[in-house]
Amino acid sequence: MHAQLYFDNSVRNHKQYADSIRNAFDNGPYFSLYRDNYFTAGIPLGEEISRTNSDVKFQVSISQRLTKSVLPFNTYLFLTYTQKCFWNVFEESLPMHDLNFNPGIGLSKLLFVKGHMIGKATLLIEHESNGRDGESSRSWNRITLGANVYITPHMMVHGKVWIPIIDGENNKDLLDYRGLYESGVQIRSSNDRWGFALVSAKRKGWNFNFNFTVEVNYRLFHDENQYFFIQYYNGYAENLLDYKEHHSRIRAGLVIKPNFFSEY
């Protein structure tokens, strides 16, 4: 009897704690950063550096929550928009090499274990294209299922898989280079000054062929979310226009990060 009463109270307390976290989230800002927002410049590795293979890469990414977590299963509806640019600033006339537009709409649910929030799960419908016509046009759509899970307060693992809908005539084989899923880990130092992230996406085939992104960041000021940022990319499909070309580039610059862990 006493054991049953303790169990009932424990479940009730866990539920109350989860409800308080959910209420705090619902009463928070509707508009926020989604992925990292950064501005970087970089050079290739493993080849001679030139004006044509050095560039600036920047990204703008935002999210707008449309509802509180009052939908079925305590989910909430949200919009996302990410724009990624590859800019050949070292060439004459400073041409924009490729612009990738990535809007989306999805449902997300906070995940709890014994009243403690451990992350979230997300179902997202996305479109990505480079806004060009003719032979340079690239586009695709995907339905993505992903999750972010905290292993410790300073370490999170994440992964997502997608069902692709390839509608671009010039990129029917995009998945051979982009893959069908990706996973990664993010780590922060105990004082939240340093951060590390590793993201990998498996390309087509049974051999060890992954696209890798490695990031290191250092918070410049204790009370701000601006960081010095180093990003290394190795693989294919870093942008849509050149998805069949292998890139190995290291870049450095500034990044503005979301309040919690970043989305990928």
Side-chain angles (χ1 to χ4, degrees):
M1 179 66 179
H2 291 294
Q4 182 63 43
L5 181 61
Y6 173 80
F7 176 79
D8 292 342
N9 287 335
S10 177
V11 171
R12 188 178 300 112
N13 290 336
H14 291 159
K15 183 179 184 303
Q16 290 173 350
Y17 186 62
D19 288 343
S20 67
I21 294 177
R22 193 176 292 112
N23 289 336
F25 172 82
D26 287 342
N27 294 324
Y30 277 77
F31 180 83
S32 64
L33 302 182
Y34 183 57
R35 298 187 175 105
D36 287 347
N37 287 249
Y38 56 77
F39 190 93
T40 62
I43 58 175
L45 297 180
E47 60 182 288
E48 184 178 353
I49 299 171
S50 69
R51 291 175 177 266
T52 58
N53 59 21
S54 303
D55 65 2
V56 161
K57 176 185 176 184
F58 63 87
Q59 177 172 281
V60 177
S61 184
I62 56 175
S63 174
Q64 174 70 27
R65 182 162 52 88
L66 301 177
T67 70
K68 297 184 178 182
S69 54
V70 294
L71 300 180
F73 307 105
N74 296 122
T75 58
Y76 60 89
L77 184 68
F78 65 100
L79 295 172
T80 70
Y81 179 76
T82 300
Q83 183 171 310
K84 184 167 54 177
C85 175
F86 297 82
W87 187 9
N88 292 348
V89 298
F90 302 106
E91 297 183 23
E92 292 185 15
S93 78
L94 286 69
M96 292 286 184
H97 181 67
D98 200 28
L99 276 168
N100 296 168
F101 307 93
N102 180 206
I105 183 170
L107 290 170
S108 197
K109 173 182 173 60
L110 302 180
L111 301 176
F112 295 90
V113 171
K114 295 183 177 180
H116 296 281
M117 192 181 79
I118 63 166
K120 67 177 181 179
T122 300
L123 177 65
L124 190 64
I125 301 174
E126 299 178 79
H127 170 78
E128 188 175 21
S129 64
N130 65 352
R132 298 194 180 193
D133 56 12
E135 294 184 358
S136 298
S137 174
R138 308 281 189 270
S139 67
W140 71 309
N141 307 284
R142 60 180 178 176
I143 302 172
T144 303
L145 179 63
N148 305 47
V149 177
Y150 297 93
I151 303 302
T152 73
H154 297 281
M155 180 180 180
M156 187 193 75
V157 296
H158 56 90
K160 59 183 179 182
V161 298
W162 48 80
I163 300 173
I165 305 170
I166 307 293
D167 59 352
E169 291 296 328
N170 301 315
N171 53 268
K172 293 295 186 181
D173 58 349
L174 176 63
L175 295 181
D176 293 352
Y177 301 88
R178 184 64 178 86
L180 281 169
Y181 68 91
E182 68 181 31
S183 58
V185 59
Q186 298 179 57
I187 300 172
R188 288 180 174 176
S189 62
S190 58
N191 61 359
D192 284 334
R193 204 71 192 263
W194 288 92
F196 170 83
L198 171 64
V199 184
S200 65
K202 179 66 174 66
R203 301 195 300 272
K204 183 179 180 180
W206 295 102
N207 53 339
F208 194 73
N209 54 353
F210 286 83
N211 299 328
F212 284 102
T213 303
V214 180
E215 298 174 346
V216 178
N217 52 263
Y218 175 75
R219 187 193 293 266
L220 298 176
F221 306 101
H222 285 288
D223 299 328
E224 298 183 10
N225 63 341
Q226 300 176 40
Y227 298 78
F228 174 70
F229 183 59
I230 297 176
Q231 182 189 73
Y232 170 65
Y233 186 90
N234 186 291
Y236 294 82
E238 186 182 17
N239 64 64
L240 288 177
L241 182 64
D242 303 330
Y243 73 93
K244 292 185 179 182
E245 297 182 14
H246 182 269
H247 289 159
S248 178
R249 288 198 172 104
I250 187 166
R251 300 179 175 93
L254 291 176
V255 60
I256 303 173
K257 303 183 75 66
N259 289 331
F260 297 103
F261 286 94
S262 304
E263 296 285 349
Y264 285 91

PDB file of all heavy atoms in Angstrom, residues 43-56:
ATOM      1  N   ILE A  43      39.528  28.337 -46.955  1.00  0.00           N
ATOM      2  CA  ILE A  43      40.399  27.868 -48.025  1.00  0.00           C
ATOM      3  C   ILE A  43      40.270  26.353 -48.145  1.00  0.00           C
ATOM      4  O   ILE A  43      39.832  25.675 -47.207  1.00  0.00           O
ATOM      5  CB  ILE A  43      41.868  28.244 -47.754  1.00  0.00           C
ATOM      6  CG1 ILE A  43      42.321  27.649 -46.409  1.00  0.00           C
ATOM      7  CG2 ILE A  43      42.056  29.759 -47.783  1.00  0.00           C
ATOM      8  CD1 ILE A  43      43.798  27.853 -46.108  1.00  0.00           C
ATOM      9  N   PRO A  44      40.671  25.795 -49.297  1.00  0.00           N
ATOM     10  CA  PRO A  44      40.648  24.335 -49.454  1.00  0.00           C
ATOM     11  C   PRO A  44      41.848  23.697 -48.775  1.00  0.00           C
ATOM     12  O   PRO A  44      42.876  24.339 -48.544  1.00  0.00           O
ATOM     13  CB  PRO A  44      40.700  24.156 -50.972  1.00  0.00           C
ATOM     14  CG  PRO A  44      41.504  25.330 -51.430  1.00  0.00           C
ATOM     15  CD  PRO A  44      41.097  26.471 -50.537  1.00  0.00           C
ATOM     16  N   LEU A  45      41.700  22.414 -48.469  1.00  0.00           N
ATOM     17  CA  LEU A  45      42.806  21.613 -47.963  1.00  0.00           C
ATOM     18  C   LEU A  45      43.141  20.543 -48.996  1.00  0.00           C
ATOM     19  O   LEU A  45      42.262  19.983 -49.638  1.00  0.00           O
ATOM     20  CB  LEU A  45      42.441  20.960 -46.627  1.00  0.00           C
ATOM     21  CG  LEU A  45      42.153  21.898 -45.458  1.00  0.00           C
ATOM     22  CD1 LEU A  45      41.810  21.095 -44.216  1.00  0.00           C
ATOM     23  CD2 LEU A  45      43.330  22.822 -45.188  1.00  0.00           C
ATOM     24  N   GLY A  46      44.426  20.271 -49.156  1.00  0.00           N
ATOM     25  CA  GLY A  46      44.849  19.232 -50.080  1.00  0.00           C
ATOM     26  C   GLY A  46      44.985  19.677 -51.514  1.00  0.00           C
ATOM     27  O   GLY A  46      45.170  18.831 -52.409  1.00  0.00           O
ATOM     28  N   GLU A  47      44.866  20.962 -51.779  1.00  0.00           N
ATOM     29  CA  GLU A  47      45.065  21.478 -53.121  1.00  0.00           C
ATOM     30  C   GLU A  47      45.611  22.898 -53.048  1.00  0.00           C
ATOM     31  O   GLU A  47      45.558  23.542 -51.986  1.00  0.00           O
ATOM     32  CB  GLU A  47      43.765  21.459 -53.925  1.00  0.00           C
ATOM     33  CG  GLU A  47      42.639  22.280 -53.321  1.00  0.00           C
ATOM     34  CD  GLU A  47      41.365  22.189 -54.139  1.00  0.00           C
ATOM     35  OE1 GLU A  47      41.335  22.783 -55.244  1.00  0.00           O
ATOM     36  OE2 GLU A  47      40.412  21.530 -53.675  1.00  0.00           O
ATOM     37  N   GLU A  48      46.139  23.378 -54.138  1.00  0.00           N
ATOM     38  CA  GLU A  48      46.733  24.711 -54.156  1.00  0.00           C
ATOM     39  C   GLU A  48      45.655  25.771 -53.956  1.00  0.00           C
ATOM     40  O   GLU A  48      44.587  25.718 -54.569  1.00  0.00           O
ATOM     41  CB  GLU A  48      47.450  24.950 -55.477  1.00  0.00           C
ATOM     42  CG  GLU A  48      48.184  26.279 -55.547  1.00  0.00           C
ATOM     43  CD  GLU A  48      48.931  26.464 -56.848  1.00  0.00           C
ATOM     44  OE1 GLU A  48      48.987  25.501 -57.643  1.00  0.00           O
ATOM     45  OE2 GLU A  48      49.456  27.576 -57.082  1.00  0.00           O
ATOM     46  N   ILE A  49      45.924  26.726 -53.086  1.00  0.00           N
ATOM     47  CA  ILE A  49      44.957  27.778 -52.775  1.00  0.00           C
ATOM     48  C   ILE A  49      44.945  28.799 -53.908  1.00  0.00           C
ATOM     49  O   ILE A  49      45.992  29.236 -54.392  1.00  0.00           O
ATOM     50  CB  ILE A  49      45.316  28.460 -51.446  1.00  0.00           C
ATOM     51  CG1 ILE A  49      45.290  27.437 -50.307  1.00  0.00           C
ATOM     52  CG2 ILE A  49      44.352  29.601 -51.149  1.00  0.00           C
ATOM     53  CD1 ILE A  49      45.832  27.980 -49.003  1.00  0.00           C
ATOM     54  N   SER A  50      43.736  29.192 -54.328  1.00  0.00           N
ATOM     55  CA  SER A  50      43.596  30.171 -55.396  1.00  0.00           C
ATOM     56  C   SER A  50      42.357  31.030 -55.155  1.00  0.00           C
ATOM     57  O   SER A  50      41.578  30.776 -54.230  1.00  0.00           O
ATOM     58  CB  SER A  50      43.484  29.468 -56.755  1.00  0.00           C
ATOM     59  OG  SER A  50      42.257  28.771 -56.852  1.00  0.00           O
ATOM     60  N   ARG A  51      42.167  32.018 -56.018  1.00  0.00           N
ATOM     61  CA  ARG A  51      40.989  32.877 -55.908  1.00  0.00           C
ATOM     62  C   ARG A  51      39.695  32.113 -56.154  1.00  0.00           C
ATOM     63  O   ARG A  51      38.641  32.450 -55.614  1.00  0.00           O
ATOM     64  CB  ARG A  51      41.085  34.025 -56.928  1.00  0.00           C
ATOM     65  CG  ARG A  51      42.164  35.062 -56.639  1.00  0.00           C
ATOM     66  CD  ARG A  51      42.224  36.068 -57.770  1.00  0.00           C
ATOM     67  NE  ARG A  51      43.195  37.125 -57.487  1.00  0.00           N
ATOM     68  CZ  ARG A  51      42.877  38.284 -56.915  1.00  0.00           C
ATOM     69  NH1 ARG A  51      41.628  38.527 -56.580  1.00  0.00           N
ATOM     70  NH2 ARG A  51      43.804  39.202 -56.687  1.00  0.00           N
ATOM     71  N   THR A  52      39.769  31.084 -56.979  1.00  0.00           N
ATOM     72  CA  THR A  52      38.549  30.382 -57.381  1.00  0.00           C
ATOM     73  C   THR A  52      38.109  29.297 -56.397  1.00  0.00           C
ATOM     74  O   THR A  52      36.960  28.861 -56.443  1.00  0.00           O
ATOM     75  CB  THR A  52      38.738  29.743 -58.767  1.00  0.00           C
ATOM     76  OG1 THR A  52      39.858  28.851 -58.722  1.00  0.00           O
ATOM     77  CG2 THR A  52      38.981  30.812 -59.814  1.00  0.00           C
ATOM     78  N   ASN A  53      39.013  28.825 -55.537  1.00  0.00           N
ATOM     79  CA  ASN A  53      38.598  27.777 -54.602  1.00  0.00           C
ATOM     80  C   ASN A  53      38.588  28.248 -53.140  1.00  0.00           C
ATOM     81  O   ASN A  53      38.408  27.443 -52.233  1.00  0.00           O
ATOM     82  CB  ASN A  53      39.464  26.529 -54.738  1.00  0.00           C
ATOM     83  CG  ASN A  53      40.946  26.800 -54.491  1.00  0.00           C
ATOM     84  OD1 ASN A  53      41.320  27.779 -53.854  1.00  0.00           O
ATOM     85  ND2 ASN A  53      41.797  25.911 -54.995  1.00  0.00           N
ATOM     86  N   SER A  54      38.802  29.552 -52.907  1.00  0.00           N
ATOM     87  CA  SER A  54      38.644  30.142 -51.575  1.00  0.00           C
ATOM     88  C   SER A  54      37.362  30.975 -51.589  1.00  0.00           C
ATOM     89  O   SER A  54      37.038  31.600 -52.606  1.00  0.00           O
ATOM     90  CB  SER A  54      39.844  31.024 -51.226  1.00  0.00           C
ATOM     91  OG  SER A  54      41.049  30.283 -51.309  1.00  0.00           O
ATOM     92  N   ASP A  55      36.657  30.977 -50.504  1.00  0.00           N
ATOM     93  CA  ASP A  55      35.362  31.653 -50.537  1.00  0.00           C
ATOM     94  C   ASP A  55      34.910  32.110 -49.164  1.00  0.00           C
ATOM     95  O   ASP A  55      35.580  31.892 -48.147  1.00  0.00           O
ATOM     96  CB  ASP A  55      34.300  30.724 -51.137  1.00  0.00           C
ATOM     97  CG  ASP A  55      34.024  29.488 -50.278  1.00  0.00           C
ATOM     98  OD1 ASP A  55      34.631  29.350 -49.196  1.00  0.00           O
ATOM     99  OD2 ASP A  55      33.200  28.647 -50.679  1.00  0.00           O
ATOM    100  N   VAL A  56      33.745  32.747 -49.147  1.00  0.00           N
ATOM    101  CA  VAL A  56      33.021  33.087 -47.929  1.00  0.00           C
ATOM    102  C   VAL A  56      31.755  32.243 -47.887  1.00  0.00           C
ATOM    103  O   VAL A  56      31.066  32.096 -48.910  1.00  0.00           O
ATOM    104  CB  VAL A  56      32.674  34.586 -47.887  1.00  0.00           C
ATOM    105  CG1 VAL A  56      31.550  34.863 -46.890  1.00  0.00           C
ATOM    106  CG2 VAL A  56      33.899  35.414 -47.514  1.00  0.00           C
TER     107      VAL A  56
END
